[in-house]
Amino acid sequence: MKHAIFPTMMLAAAMFAGCRNDAAMSQAPEMFPDYADITIPYNIAPLNFCVDGADQIIVKVSGSKEYRFKSGSSLMQFNMRKWKKMLKAETGSTLTVNITCKDGGNTVQMDPFSWTVVADPVDRYMSYRLIEPAYEVWQNMSIEERDIETFRTRLLGDNMPTDYCCMNCHTTNGSGTSFMHLRGANGGTIVNRNGELYKLNTRTDSTSNGAIYGDISKDGRYAVFAATAVEFAVHSAANKRLEVYDASGDLVVIDLDNLTLTDSPAVKGEKYQESFPCFSVDGRTIFFCRSEHHPQPDSIYSMSYDICAVQFDPATGKVGDKVVTVISGKRHNASFSHLKCSPDGRYLLVTAASFGTFPVWHEEAELWMIDLRDGSINVMGDANSKNADTYHSWSTNSRWVLFASKRDDKVYGRPYFTYIGEDGQATKAFVLPQKNPEYYRLTLKSMNLPEIYPVKEKYNSRKTTRMYNNMELKQVTYKSNF
Amino acid sequence: MTLKYKRWDLVGVLLFLIACWAYLNFGVRYEIIFKEQMGMFMMSSESIALYLAKPAILTEIVGEFLTQFFAIDALGPVLFTLAFGLIWLGLNKAFRRIGLGDASSTLALIPLVLELVSVTSQAYTFSTTLGLLVAVWVFVACSYVKNEKVLLGVYLVALPLVYLLAGSHMITALILFLMLRRRNILPALGVGVAAMLIELFIGRHMGLDLVQTLYYPLNIRYPLSPVSIYMLVPASVLAMALLGLLDFRPWIGYLMALAALGLGLKFSYRPSENYDLKVATLAYRNQWSEVKKLAIENPYNTVIGIYYRNLCFAKEGKLVENLLEYGSQPYGALQFSVASNSGYLPIFCAIDQLLEVGDISQATDCALLIQTVMPRNNSSRMIRTLAVIALTVADDDVARKYLHMLSKTVLYRRFANELLANLDKGLVPEEMVMTRKLAATKDIFFHQNDWTESLTAVVSSNPVNKTALDYLLCQYLLGKNIRSFEGIYEKYYEPRFREALGIPEIYQQALLVNVDSQEEFNYRCSRYGISPEVARRWMDFTKLISQKAVSPADLAAFKGTYWFYIATTQIVNND
């Protein structure tokens, strides 16, 4: 029994050891996440953070008056009511934050920093997909909705009861219409029009691929999609990862009133590959990115996507036949993707990478903002980082941008916010606060495809499951408009 | 029951438990140890909170916490045996409560045998065993309520609570409850149906479908085992309870338990699987001399054994010399071609060889792949591997993340803290720096499962990486792809290694395979410096195979040569 006694003692010892906090606080403690010197909306949830090794954290926030918060551990989790009260009272002010950390008898004062609380609120809800950042395979995957003012989350889709199908691209127009794709045997595109839900088959005999990335017009009648064939290749270089590319791509527009699908010779065919379309605010222009087709993956470095535009007539649902290049990718040594118009119609926010159409794994990918009045480009230096900054979404007041950033570790995507001032300048981005600030360091899920909107979705994952399993698929019919 | 009989009863049960422990410790030790590698328990409120989102909250937390200690040799079997002992005590009491009398103690052994059989499956976690423990004892505790109406109410609350805290073994408690109330079964059935409906409601509320609800926490997508094993224990509890109602002599119970034990061990004992897990675990622990010894013995001739034999020789720079030395060498045992349906073990193992040759790209791919396909999407072994890979390629930020996660565990904390401290000082362990030097620097694209293309990229980036070159050349040889072998040989081996190291005999033999004339033969002998012995045997071989009928006995004279491999091996592509 010697075998048994020794391990049992080890177990007991280890159980006690497991409860210890080994990390000693360094001389210059850092808070995680980095919430220093940022601009925040008055309606954001508490910016909880942690300081490794600290036994006690005291936060002193100075504005029109002084607010004190205290924590007896390395995690600073603010009192929600006190936090809300503070932000409400201090809206429009710049707060000075002093943090004192104690580790046993050792007290360390961190350098003070500021929080500028602006009166422009961020839209209250956001969605994101939780998925391992592995490549072409997945197992558990879900789409979650988060209340940005609190820490409440709920599932919009969970693939456990839906045959572990892929679910993606939850997209809203900010005024009641949204869609998301469910793949798998019973899949389809789930469309929500102010609570009326249906499941759509976007494949037709006249189109080459099913709908993927898309956007919805402001009035909710039309959805424009890239119908692309997505493929994967692996880099051999040790520090590079996956390359995702479109083998082909066209644009299609779906009339959600009549369930018809249309396209145009201008945005289909083999010469060019189109992707990431979005409507202008008035719905009369479709912006999209386009590159000349090259065989991939061998010539993938030649795939430089331009920002293009084509006319769209909302009255007839007709896509124009003339494509205009708005910004040339080659001219800027960039390849553009993820086009999103600001709701006030002033800006077009894009992701710029060095090549290709899927910048999520591109370290160099960053957000660029194009002023649609004069075509000037703002490279948003304060918001971008050394790692991939991609897939953004506008708050309905055009003041906040939510985007996915891999700045923390190059692999796991996190939702970051940046404020766009009156002058069009972006501020330093900060990560979505979590109730437990350790969340990002302990999860192996990426939070990708973040989308922000003002009103919460009118369905949940149970409904999504029912739709997947039981709802009949509505077929869109192809309507030639040319 | 007399005191003397009780003593014998106790002795019998103790002997039974000792047998369980011995079987788990000596028979299937590595299957138990491997359970630890398949998950990771972090001491953090954030991680623990995740367990609250699904049923079996209590047993999942406790079970996962304890499972991490399975990494310590022999501790897993001890914990399982302790749990079995408590389950037996509970079942014994439960059977007595439902009126089975003296036969209870022996009948309670049968479900234990089935539990023992179940735990050897990787699908069956320790938390599932704890679920049975909780279910049985909750039944026992509630059964003492005397008032009939109160009793029904208590079970109506207790059964769903068991589901919430301990998972689907609620069914065992329900079976015992129905047996307890068999004389007035209708109200009990009502409670049972209500409890099941509540279970379904809880499952639905927690995002499980019907089957997942009924089996939770067993992962029904587990590739290694059918879910039917889960029902063995509740079914046996029912069977024993029914059997015990007959006039039953206790010694018959012992005979049944012994028979069940014998049958159970026969069906659950998979020595080759345990061997594979042992080799893979020792490799994970860097006990390479042990791995080599085991891999050369390879008593079950498993692919994993052959794979590690190749890897051990490659580590010594003797892969080529030993490639065909030990009998059969199946194509695919040299380098695992991994896909999402490959099973955990080959993916785990594949990384060892990929890191050895410096194919970091595919190693990362494998590590993230297994992270994705694991039932809980985490695994201590993979997080550790991902940390090592990240440090190897100087991805410090993500290395910190993985090490931070490991620092929240009990057993890997020291490992993580040491590496984190080194990272702060800018230090990286020597072996990782060595691997970094081997990695591909040239960037080409290839499809995920194109393993030779990936290896070619490593070799072309770093032509002095002889381990990678040997693997590539041997891969072509085993795949009978002589043209590609010759191309790579000419490009990388001939200019850099021939003069210093000579040409391994198997390469010489392969270089003669495509000879189709005497001139060509002479040219190749002179061009590559083929040894006279190899040349003479080639002549003998060609003479032999030009005969109309070649007997296996004649061919056997060439055993161990590449020509013999070509002539006798049929390639089965496992991709």
Side-chain angles (χ1 to χ4, degrees):
Chain A
M1 291 298 284
K2 213 167 73 180
H3 262 104
I5 293 164
F6 175 67
T8 311
M9 287 167 63
M10 293 268 295
L11 170 64
M15 279 175 175
F16 288 109
C19 304
R20 262 184 10 233
N21 181 3
D22 271 1
M25 196 169 61
S26 66
Q27 278 306 303
E30 283 181 12
M31 78 172 155
F32 177 86
D34 175 11
Y35 287 135
D37 300 320
I38 54 172
T39 299
I40 55 175
Y42 71 86
N43 61 334
I44 192 83
L47 301 179
N48 295 341
F49 63 88
C50 58
V51 178
D52 286 338
D55 291 336
Q56 198 182 76
I57 304 173
I58 298 162
V59 180
K60 203 170 77 183
V61 184
S62 311
S64 61
K65 60 180 193 173
E66 198 171 284
Y67 307 85
R68 277 173 71 89
F69 301 90
K70 196 174 167 187
S71 160
S73 73
S74 60
L75 308 183
M76 182 68 230
Q77 292 168 295
F78 294 91
N79 175 287
M80 178 72 83
R81 264 175 58 189
K82 212 170 153 187
W83 173 269
K84 293 265 173 212
K85 218 169 142 185
M86 176 182 81
L87 291 197
K88 202 173 167 191
E90 302 293 341
T91 300
S93 322
T94 295
L95 307 174
T96 304
V97 186
N98 282 283
I99 298 176
T100 308
C101 303
K102 290 185 180 171
D103 169 22
N106 185 21
T107 301
V108 182
Q109 179 83 39
M110 289 172 68
D111 288 340
F113 56 83
S114 67
W115 284 338
T116 303
V117 187
V118 292
D120 300 310
V122 66
D123 283 353
R124 183 166 178 179
Y125 298 95
M126 63 176 285
S127 67
Y128 45 80
R129 181 169 67 159
L130 284 173
I131 186 175
E132 284 73 33
Y135 302 155
E136 91 288 27
V137 294
W138 66 88
Q139 182 172 255
N140 298 326
M141 167 191 306
S142 56
I143 294 180
E144 235 174 42
E145 183 178 77
R146 161 78 190 267
D147 181 345
I148 296 170
E149 295 183 2
T150 66
F151 297 109
R152 272 195 295 272
T153 57
R154 67 190 186 105
L155 285 172
L156 296 180
D158 179 5
N159 79 341
M160 255 178 105
T162 56
D163 302 334
Y164 292 88
C165 72
C166 178
M167 39 182 64
N168 52 38
C169 297
H170 176 250
T171 303
T172 79
N173 69 346
S175 48
T177 305
S178 66
F179 69 79
M180 74 168 159
H181 304 302
L182 303 181
R183 310 299 176 186
N186 299 324
T189 299
I190 302 291
V191 178
N192 166 29
R193 302 187 76 192
N194 295 308
E196 184 203 344
L197 293 158
Y198 50 89
K199 189 166 73 174
L200 220 53
N201 181 10
T202 59
R203 280 179 185 274
T204 71
D205 293 341
S206 308
T207 47
S208 51
N209 302 298
I212 304 189
Y213 319 111
D215 188 33
I216 306 164
S217 61
K218 193 78 189 156
D219 63 4
R221 179 173 173 186
Y222 294 102
V224 59
F225 290 101
T228 62
V230 180
E231 293 191 5
F232 308 87
V234 181
H235 287 268
S236 63
N239 56 354
K240 290 193 176 182
R241 292 169 195 266
L242 192 71
E243 195 60 49
V244 183
Y245 58 91
D246 293 343
S248 62
D250 297 323
L251 300 189
V252 295
V253 174
I254 294 178
D255 180 342
L256 297 173
D257 280 353
N258 301 309
L259 298 187
T260 54
L261 177 147
T262 189
D263 55 15
S264 155
V267 291
K268 71 183 283 193
E270 289 178 4
K271 189 178 178 195
Y272 293 104
Q273 289 184 203
E274 293 84 4
S275 192
F276 294 111
C278 74
F279 283 108
S280 61
V281 174
D282 63 6
R284 296 187 170 278
T285 306
I286 295 170
F287 292 103
F288 61 99
C289 42
R290 182 177 87 164
S291 167
E292 262 185 60
H293 172 80
H294 296 282
Q296 296 176 80
D298 299 339
S299 303
I300 198 163
Y301 290 110
S302 310
M303 295 296 289
S304 173
Y305 283 78
D306 303 324
I307 297 172
C308 298
V310 66
Q311 294 279 305
F312 179 71
D313 182 353
T316 60
K318 193 174 174 185
V319 181
D321 50 14
K322 194 179 168 206
V323 171
V324 178
T325 300
V326 180
I327 308 258
S328 156
K330 283 207 177 100
R331 217 179 118 208
H332 292 87
N333 289 323
S335 181
F336 298 106
S337 54
H338 303 162
L339 313 188
K340 293 277 174 77
C341 275
S342 63
D344 62 6
R346 185 173 164 187
Y347 299 110
L348 181 63
L349 192 58
V350 304
T351 300
S354 56
F355 66 92
T357 185
F358 198 86
V360 174
W361 288 104
H362 284 222
E363 277 176 50
E364 80 287 356
E366 53 185 33
L367 305 182
W368 287 9
M369 196 161 67
I370 294 144
D371 191 329
L372 290 173
R373 294 174 309 181
D374 57 14
S376 62
I377 296 174
N378 175 353
V379 295
M380 297 177 74
D382 288 337
N384 287 312
S385 69
K386 61 178 179 176
N387 289 324
D389 297 297
T390 61
Y391 210 96
H392 38 269
S393 172
W394 284 97
S395 188
T396 44
N397 59 5
S398 303
R399 283 283 164 261
W400 291 96
V401 169
L402 170 67
F403 61 100
S405 177
K406 295 191 172 181
R407 66 187 60 199
D408 293 321
D409 50 38
K410 200 170 124 179
V411 178
Y412 296 87
R414 309 282 178 235
Y416 273 75
F417 293 94
T418 183
Y419 179 67
I420 309 295
E422 286 284 354
D423 57 356
Q425 293 308 307
T427 58
K428 177 184 166 186
F430 65 94
V431 74
L432 171 74
Q434 298 289 348
K435 188 170 187 181
N436 185 336
E438 280 268 75
Y439 175 81
Y440 295 115
R441 298 206 293 194
L442 298 180
T443 183
L444 288 166
K445 301 270 188 191
S446 251
M447 298 166 81
N448 69 12
L449 313 175
E451 183 81 4
I452 190 168
Y453 43 94
V455 183
K456 71 175 178 181
E457 280 288 18
K458 292 190 170 65
Y459 61 93
N460 58 20
S461 68
R462 283 199 289 279
K463 211 158 194 175
T464 306
T465 302
R466 277 204 298 277
M467 284 190 281
Y468 177 84
N469 289 315
N470 306 324
M471 189 182 265
E472 208 147 301
L473 203 58
K474 285 189 178 178
Q475 176 65 49
V476 296
T477 49
Y478 183 74
K479 182 181 160 197
S480 177
N481 258 339
F482 52 89
Chain B
M1 187 187 263
T2 64
L3 189 64
K4 189 182 167 192
Y5 182 78
K6 264 189 176 170
R7 276 187 194 149
W8 278 112
D9 208 27
L10 202 62
V11 169
V13 171
L14 278 175
L15 284 174
F16 176 83
L17 290 175
I18 289 169
C20 287
W21 172 79
Y23 176 62
L24 293 173
N25 193 44
F26 299 113
V28 291
R29 171 185 282 200
Y30 286 90
E31 299 194 28
I32 303 298
I33 287 174
F34 192 66
K35 286 179 193 285
E36 181 273 330
Q37 295 169 34
M38 304 222 348
M40 189 167 89
F41 185 86
M42 286 184 282
M43 296 284 287
S44 84
S45 52
E46 181 62 31
S47 308
I48 291 170
L50 293 176
Y51 293 104
L52 304 181
K54 293 280 184 266
I57 294 166
L58 175 70
T59 53
E60 283 281 88
I61 292 174
V62 177
E64 291 293 302
F65 173 76
L66 292 174
T67 301
Q68 65 184 320
F69 299 104
F70 289 10
I72 301 167
D73 280 356
L75 192 50
V78 170
L79 289 171
F80 267 117
T81 309
L82 284 174
F84 288 169
L86 292 172
I87 291 169
W88 176 82
L89 278 175
L91 274 176
N92 182 22
K93 269 202 180 305
F95 283 168
R96 282 179 195 282
R97 297 295 301 160
I98 60 177
L100 304 195
D102 288 350
S104 299
S105 62
T106 49
L107 289 176
L109 293 176
I110 310 284
L112 271 192
V113 170
L114 295 169
E115 186 67 16
L116 177 70
V117 170
S118 304
V119 302
T120 59
S121 158
Q122 293 302 335
Y124 210 84
T125 56
F126 188 49
S127 59
T128 324
T129 298
L130 293 182
L132 177 61
L133 177 63
V134 170
V136 170
W137 277 101
V138 168
F139 164 77
V140 172
C142 297
S143 68
Y144 285 97
V145 175
K146 295 241 165 62
N147 182 297
E148 192 164 326
K149 280 183 185 161
V150 176
L151 182 77
L152 292 175
V154 163
Y155 275 106
L156 186 59
V157 174
L159 289 171
L161 204 61
V162 167
Y163 181 68
L164 204 59
L165 296 179
S168 301
H169 267 306
M170 182 199 93
I171 192 79
T172 309
L174 177 58
I175 288 168
L176 290 168
F177 168 63
L178 292 176
M179 292 306 295
L180 178 74
R181 306 300 307 158
R182 64 187 176 278
R183 290 194 181 86
N184 186 14
I185 202 161
L186 275 181
L189 270 177
V191 168
V193 169
M196 291 295 288
L197 288 174
I198 297 172
E199 177 186 350
L200 294 178
F201 173 78
I202 293 171
R204 187 167 167 269
H205 184 72
M206 292 183 155
L208 304 175
D209 68 18
L210 180 66
V211 180
Q212 288 160 345
T213 300
L214 294 175
Y215 285 105
Y216 206 87
L218 196 74
N219 190 309
I220 58 159
R221 294 189 79 216
Y222 220 98
L224 300 181
S225 182
V227 290
S228 53
I229 58 161
Y230 194 70
M231 294 314 291
L232 284 176
V233 177
S236 69
V237 168
L238 178 63
M240 292 309 107
L242 290 170
L243 202 61
L245 296 178
L246 306 172
D247 188 15
F248 206 85
R249 288 180 185 280
W251 62 268
I252 298 178
Y254 275 120
L255 276 186
M256 283 170 57
L258 277 174
L261 189 62
L263 281 172
L265 299 193
K266 183 176 177 351
F267 287 111
S268 68
Y269 183 52
R270 296 176 294 273
S272 67
E273 192 176 313
N274 195 51
Y275 165 83
D276 282 347
L277 291 169
K278 183 175 183 179
V279 181
T281 299
L282 292 175
Y284 175 47
R285 292 175 179 174
N286 278 321
Q287 295 173 338
W288 286 101
S289 59
E290 288 284 310
V291 173
K292 186 179 174 188
K293 202 172 131 206
L294 278 170
I296 288 174
E297 282 170 13
N298 198 358
Y300 309 102
N301 199 28
T302 68
V303 173
I304 297 249
I306 298 168
Y307 165 85
Y308 273 112
R309 187 189 71 208
N310 288 328
L311 184 54
C312 289
F313 283 125
K315 280 175 176 288
E316 296 168 1
K318 296 175 184 167
L319 171 68
V320 189
E321 291 79 354
N322 292 280
L323 187 67
L324 303 174
E325 194 73 13
Y326 289 83
S328 66
Q329 171 71 275
Y331 180 73
L334 193 63
Q335 182 178 29
F336 289 142
S337 185
V338 167
S340 55
N341 58 355
S342 298
Y344 308 143
L345 195 59
I347 310 181
F348 272 131
C349 298
I351 296 170
D352 291 332
Q353 181 265 346
L354 292 166
L355 288 178
E356 187 65 28
V357 299
D359 193 347
I360 307 292
S361 173
Q362 293 282 24
T364 311
D365 187 32
C366 279
L368 284 174
L369 176 67
I370 201 155
Q371 201 64 55
T372 305
V373 300
M374 277 284 167
R376 291 174 201 284
N377 302 122
N378 70 6
S379 145
S380 59
R381 181 168 177 167
M382 270 316 104
I383 297 289
R384 206 180 138 134
T385 307
L386 281 166
V388 168
I389 292 172
L391 287 168
T392 303
V393 295
D395 272 349
D396 291 354
D397 291 338
V398 75
R400 274 181 203 284
K401 177 190 172 69
Y402 296 133
L403 292 172
H404 182 74
M405 292 177 79
L406 289 169
S407 75
K408 299 280 178 189
T409 65
V410 173
L411 297 187
Y412 297 100
R413 191 175 53 231
R414 186 193 282 179
F415 164 84
N417 285 341
E418 276 174 14
L419 285 175
L420 277 169
N422 282 341
L423 203 53
D424 288 340
K425 293 176 204 152
L427 301 173
V428 178
E430 188 57 30
E431 66 271 17
M432 295 179 200
V433 177
M434 295 293 285
T435 309
R436 188 183 294 175
K437 285 178 186 162
L438 298 175
T441 48
K442 279 187 191 169
D443 192 24
I444 59 160
F445 291 107
F446 50 88
H447 288 292
Q448 208 145 21
N449 287 329
D450 195 342
W451 297 76
T452 42
E453 190 68 26
S454 147
L455 205 48
T456 307
V458 175
V459 171
S460 65
S461 284
N462 191 354
V464 293
N465 181 348
K466 185 164 179 296
T467 312
L469 178 59
D470 280 341
Y471 261 100
L472 183 58
L473 288 168
C474 290
Q475 186 77 352
Y476 282 134
L477 288 184
L478 294 183
K480 301 186 183 180
N481 188 344
I482 303 295
R483 286 281 171 232
S484 296
F485 166 81
E486 287 175 352
I488 294 292
Y489 174 87
E490 279 286 352
K491 194 169 176 185
Y492 297 109
Y493 195 94
E494 183 72 14
R496 284 178 186 83
F497 298 109
R498 182 186 154 185
E499 203 174 306
L501 303 174
I503 311 178
E505 208 163 279
I506 287 175
Y507 289 176
Q508 292 185 41
Q509 291 162 3
L511 289 165
L512 293 178
V513 168
N514 279 343
V515 165
D516 54 5
S517 66
Q518 187 61 40
E519 292 74 35
E520 178 74 8
F521 175 73
N522 293 340
Y523 168 74
R524 289 203 174 208
C525 284
S526 140
R527 165 86 176 85
Y528 298 118
I530 304 288
S531 74
E533 175 62 11
V534 171
R536 184 190 63 75
R537 291 195 78 192
W538 170 249
M539 300 297 276
D540 293 346
F541 183 75
T542 49
K543 202 182 290 174
L544 177 70
I545 58 168
S546 62
Q547 291 169 7
K548 272 187 183 169
V550 182
S551 73
D554 291 335
L555 265 180
F558 293 91
K559 202 167 179 182
T561 66
Y562 183 59
W563 311 315
F564 180 82
Y565 173 82
I566 288 241
T568 59
T569 309
Q570 195 177 358
I571 294 174
V572 179
N573 198 334
N574 296 322
D575 287 0

